[in-house]
Amino acid sequence: MDLTDQQWAVVAPLFPPPSPHLRGRPPLDERAILDAVLWKLSRNAAWYDLPARYPSHQTCYRRYCQWRRLDLLDVLI
């Protein structure tokens, strides 16, 4: 399940901006990660079953956990 541009425009402002104190690699696209999380949740699949078109399952799981701690997914889903 991939979000349309209209759907993304509605939910994008809900995501916290990346920390200015981050070092190393630049953060990945939130939209791609959200698409991966929605794909996983809609299929009740394992994280490692994410298709290759999405970021790594480790990254998606880590961001999913972060969003759960922020209660962001409760607002989205």
Side-chain angles (χ1 to χ4, degrees), residues 3-24:
L3 297 175
T4 65
D5 290 338
Q6 291 176 333
Q7 292 169 324
W8 177 245
V10 171
V11 299
L14 300 174
F15 290 90
S19 171
H21 304 292
L22 288 178
R23 297 163 145 190

Side-chain angles (χ1 to χ4, degrees), residues 42-69:
S42 69
R43 286 162 178 76
N44 198 25
W47 286 104
Y48 54 82
D49 286 336
L50 285 175
R53 70 178 183 266
Y54 297 122
S56 74
H57 69 274
Q58 297 95 332
T59 298
C60 294
Y61 176 71
R62 190 170 32 253
R63 198 67 59 88
Y64 167 81
C65 291
Q66 177 187 14
W67 294 341
R68 292 288 296 177
R69 282 192 307 273

Side-chain angles (χ1 to χ4, degrees), residues 1-17 29-38 67 70-77:
M1 173 181 182
D2 290 345
L3 297 175
T4 65
D5 290 338
Q6 291 176 333
Q7 292 169 324
W8 177 245
V10 171
V11 299
L14 300 174
F15 290 90
D29 179 27
E30 299 283 340
R31 183 177 180 173
I33 296 172
L34 180 58
D35 286 339
V37 169
L38 293 174
W67 294 341
L70 296 172
D71 292 328
L72 184 61
L73 290 179
D74 294 335
V75 174
L76 295 173
I77 299 175

